[in-house]
Amino acid sequence: MKEFAYVRAGSVEEATSAYASHAGARYLGGGTNLVDLMKLGVERPAALIDVTRLPLDAVEELPDGGLRIGAMVRNSDLAAHLLVRDRYPALSQAVLAGASGQLRNAATTGGNLLQRTRCPYFQDLSKPCNKREPGSGCGARDGVHRDHAVLGHSAHCIATHPSDMAVALAALDGRVELYGPEGARRVAAADFHRLPGDRPDQDTEIRPGELVTGVVLPAAAAGLPSAYRKARDRASYAFALASVAVVLRLEDGVIGHAGLAFGALAHRPWRARRAEAALRGAAPTRAAFEHAADLELSAAQPLRDNAYKVPLARNLAVDVLSRLTDTALARRAS
Amino acid sequence: MGNHEHHSETTLRVNGKPHTLTVDHRRVLLDLLREDLALTGAKRGCDHGQCGACTVLVDGRRVNSCLLFAVALDGREVTTVEGLSGDGEEPHPLQRAFLERDAFQCGYCTPGQICSAAGVLAEAAAGHPSYVTDPAAPSGEPVPLDREEIRERLSGNLCRCGAYPRITEAVEDVIP
Ligand SMILES: Cc1cc2nc3c(=O)[nH]c(=O)nc-3n(C[C@H](O)[C@H](O)[C@H](O)COP(=O)(O)OP(=O)(O)OC[C@H]3O[C@@H](n4cnc5c(N)ncnc54)[C@H](O)[C@@H]3O)c2cc1C
Ligand code: SF4
Ligand code: FES
Ligand code: FES
């Protein structure tokens, strides 16, 4: 590992100006992804700006009924927070579906959003990879790609984004708060991660030097039935093969709003807008759920070895929509 | 000693004792414990956060010491398997239960399993849910630990010898 300078930032301004004054700087959150990639030689920062002690470690209720989660809130504390569990259960479940107890104790909200793909070629310096080294080619396309994308991939990159948490944030219409040299701004969580196109080196919309300062959950989704379900190769402690986050509002016996996002199918959490449009105003029946899921997934372009993901994702979506409908109807009855 | 840009004075309390060292920023906690402080309980398995053999407690929370730069832990309190029982006169109840249940074969994963289990007990007592906890009951009350909960919560600790059934039993023995 290359030597690096270390700066412990005490404030957001201190962090962004330290980043600006150190060439080759990276922010250090829990380090569970960055330290790993530094050991592999994929990341070679000249300076680490430690942001873990910034005063962004609280979950706060907003005046409008939403919730702000500070970027330094640890994944385990986010998942355990009573307001998160009570009002946005899909988010708590998604975080708990990821990694291990030890990793979640260290990982931060900001770092989780910005974790890099688990594509094995990306992590192996001896292999071509357009994400790690633009222009070098994509080892996965004709190689091992069982875990890779079926939606929105490009000739340049077929990687998926590994975060479970980000899938729930996309379905719940969360927003990512950023602070950088040009000031503060917010980006919808569903638009924060990019499709690869011809720039697979860019995972997200973040600009150089920008810091994730928090995530905001909207009042509109608070308290609605929501859930996260993940399919993986073993019962625990594995990345998703496919996953789904759903939030559902029934109105007078029909679907008023369905927020639906798939994980592990694309370079970003895949917000299923076509399925959502098909569900709006429909009766919450199994046939309607199947129709909506099929409509969304008809755009899938599986690779040689990952067509299994399409029916897997479809069944997950139908299952979670059915379960949430039962929850919503039971609540109304009681 | 190299460039001062790349080293920092760092103070950690380890098993109750303060240690001030000048660390290379690249030093991870696992190496500091094993090489600088000769505390070899925490083990290197994968070195990438995948196996849990390096698990220790930082400020009472279980973490993978292979993925933490020591410099970032300045001022923190670290507990390793060597310090789990406090003064070391009596073994920690988890250590006793692992012995009584014969919850290991080679023992390589054991310090990590025990530190992780200590973290699990504290997390459940504090009301932290797991992926298998009923999501319909967000209460903040202590979460009862059945076998399914223990297995899920310890899934970040691999055992190449496959001693899982006895590890689960040992943890069940110490549930308050
Ligand atoms: C064995 C293993 C299994 C895992 N399994 C899963 C899983 O099943 N599901 C899942 O979702 N995840 C999984 N993870 C990934 C884990 O969730 C991430 O490593 C973690 O969330 C990253 O958070 P961190 O704070 O440690 O980030 P870091 O490693 O500190 O940082 C990650 C990146 O984000 C940047 N960064 C950090 N904070 C900020 C900020 N505030 N603003 C701007 N940039 C920032 C860093 O510069 C770096 O590029 C697994 C990891 C491991 C090692
Ligand atoms: S899929 Fe993307 S990350 Fe993987 S090798 Fe191809 S370019 Fe690299
Ligand atoms: S050595 Fe740290 S998790 Fe394997
Ligand atoms: S006892 Fe040998 S690895 Fe667990």
Side-chain angles (χ1 to χ4, degrees):
Chain A
M1 194 186 292
K2 210 179 81 169
E3 292 189 304
F4 55 86
Y6 171 85
V7 179
R8 185 175 301 129
S11 69
V12 168
E13 288 73 22
E14 230 175 271
T16 50
S17 63
Y19 189 103
S21 61
H22 287 82
R26 283 277 184 281
Y27 293 123
L28 175 68
T32 59
N33 188 223
L34 184 57
V35 179
D36 193 1
L37 292 175
M38 287 168 71
K39 288 183 174 187
L40 294 167
V42 174
E43 289 279 5
R44 285 182 293 261
L48 288 186
I49 317 299
D50 184 351
V51 293
T52 54
R53 304 202 193 189
L54 298 184
L56 299 171
D57 57 354
V59 177
E60 323 158 73
E61 244 182 308
L62 298 173
D64 73 350
L67 221 53
R68 173 185 286 118
I69 298 152
M72 303 314 146
V73 172
R74 306 290 171 160
N75 286 182
S76 49
D77 296 323
L78 169 59
H81 198 279
L82 287 178
L83 291 178
V84 175
R85 289 171 71 189
D86 191 29
R87 298 181 190 171
Y88 308 96
L91 179 57
S92 175
Q93 290 164 29
V95 172
L96 293 173
S100 66
Q102 290 96 313
L103 290 161
R104 292 192 297 270
N105 276 341
T108 61
T109 309
N112 188 315
L113 278 172
L114 289 161
Q115 61 174 301
R116 310 298 310 271
T117 184
R118 305 305 286 201
C119 173
Y121 300 88
F122 173 74
Q123 298 186 337
D124 182 346
L125 295 186
S126 71
K127 300 286 193 301
C129 170
N130 288 325
K131 184 180 281 298
R132 175 169 37 76
E133 208 180 310
S136 63
C138 171
R141 178 162 277 280
D142 296 317
V144 177
H145 58 224
R146 176 178 169 268
D147 296 342
H148 287 66
V150 295
L151 284 163
H153 49 70
S154 72
H156 302 277
C157 180
I158 57 172
T160 60
H161 195 264
S163 169
D164 292 295
M165 181 190 82
V167 181
L169 290 176
L172 290 164
D173 283 308
R175 312 246 269 159
V176 180
E177 295 192 322
L178 300 161
Y179 182 85
E182 293 151 50
R185 64 187 182 114
R186 282 185 180 186
V187 179
D191 300 329
F192 182 65
H193 294 92
R194 298 176 65 256
L195 290 181
D198 59 3
R199 287 301 304 275
D201 55 314
Q202 305 268 317
D203 293 351
T204 70
E205 294 295 338
I206 203 161
R207 296 173 190 151
E210 262 184 337
L211 185 71
V212 174
T213 54
V215 165
V216 173
L217 294 167
L224 291 178
S226 73
Y228 185 74
R229 195 166 168 211
K230 174 176 181 179
R232 42 188 159 176
D233 278 331
R234 47 185 191 208
S236 183
Y237 200 25
F239 286 93
L241 300 172
S243 71
V244 65
V246 183
V247 53
L248 189 70
R249 192 180 70 236
L250 295 187
E251 273 167 18
D252 307 323
V254 299
I255 297 167
H257 170 73
L260 202 162
F262 288 111
L265 299 191
H267 198 258
R268 69 176 185 209
W270 189 267
R271 183 74 190 256
R273 305 269 183 203
R274 289 175 76 183
E276 292 177 17
L279 289 170
R280 208 169 298 126
T285 61
R286 195 174 175 88
F289 303 150
E290 288 172 354
H291 170 71
D294 287 339
L295 196 64
E296 188 69 41
L297 293 166
S298 63
Q301 291 183 296
L303 308 159
R304 185 191 66 226
D305 289 333
N306 69 0
Y308 76 93
K309 285 194 173 198
V310 178
L312 185 59
R314 170 195 197 262
N315 294 345
L316 288 174
V318 172
D319 171 66
V320 174
L321 282 161
S322 305
R323 280 199 286 143
L324 290 179
T325 301
D326 293 344
T327 309
L329 294 175
R331 265 194 213 172
R332 232 184 17 186
S334 68
Chain B
M1 173 111 324
N3 187 331
H4 71 278
E5 265 235 302
H6 302 134
H7 294 74
S8 293
E9 193 173 274
T10 301
T11 299
L12 296 176
R13 280 184 79 82
V14 180
N15 297 333
K17 285 195 213 97
H19 294 270
T20 300
L21 301 97
T22 299
V23 296
D24 184 316
H25 295 159
R26 294 171 292 186
R27 199 98 173 125
V28 292
L29 176 61
L30 177 62
D31 294 337
L32 180 141
L33 292 171
R34 292 181 57 86
E35 291 171 28
D36 297 330
L37 303 184
L39 292 167
T40 53
K43 299 287 186 278
R44 172 179 288 104
C46 64
D47 214 23
H48 290 281
Q50 298 167 0
C51 75
C54 65
T55 303
V56 299
L57 304 171
V58 171
D59 291 347
R61 294 157 64 106
R62 56 185 173 139
V63 288
N64 304 102
S65 62
C66 69
L67 291 183
L68 292 171
F69 286 129
V71 62
L73 300 176
D74 189 44
R76 304 287 193 217
E77 178 90 41
V78 179
T79 307
T80 69
V81 73
E82 290 92 341
L84 208 57
S85 67
D87 58 13
E89 297 279 308
E90 286 289 314
H92 185 277
L94 278 164
Q95 291 170 316
R96 192 188 296 282
F98 269 66
L99 275 171
E100 280 168 4
R101 288 282 181 181
D102 202 11
F104 41 76
Q105 285 181 37
C106 75
Y108 199 79
C109 70
T110 312
Q113 300 279 3
I114 290 178
C115 287
S116 190
V120 167
L121 295 176
E123 287 160 18
H128 282 213
S130 81
Y131 190 60
V132 300
T133 308
D134 180 3
S139 64
E141 296 294 311
V143 182
L145 291 178
D146 56 15
R147 278 189 188 197
E148 196 193 2
E149 282 278 1
I150 294 169
R151 287 164 55 88
E152 164 62 24
R153 288 172 189 257
L154 280 177
S155 68
N157 290 86
L158 305 190
C159 174
R160 291 301 296 269
C161 301
Y164 298 112
R166 292 191 180 182
I167 293 170
T168 312
E169 285 165 9
V171 177
E172 271 189 307
D173 285 350
V174 298
I175 293 170

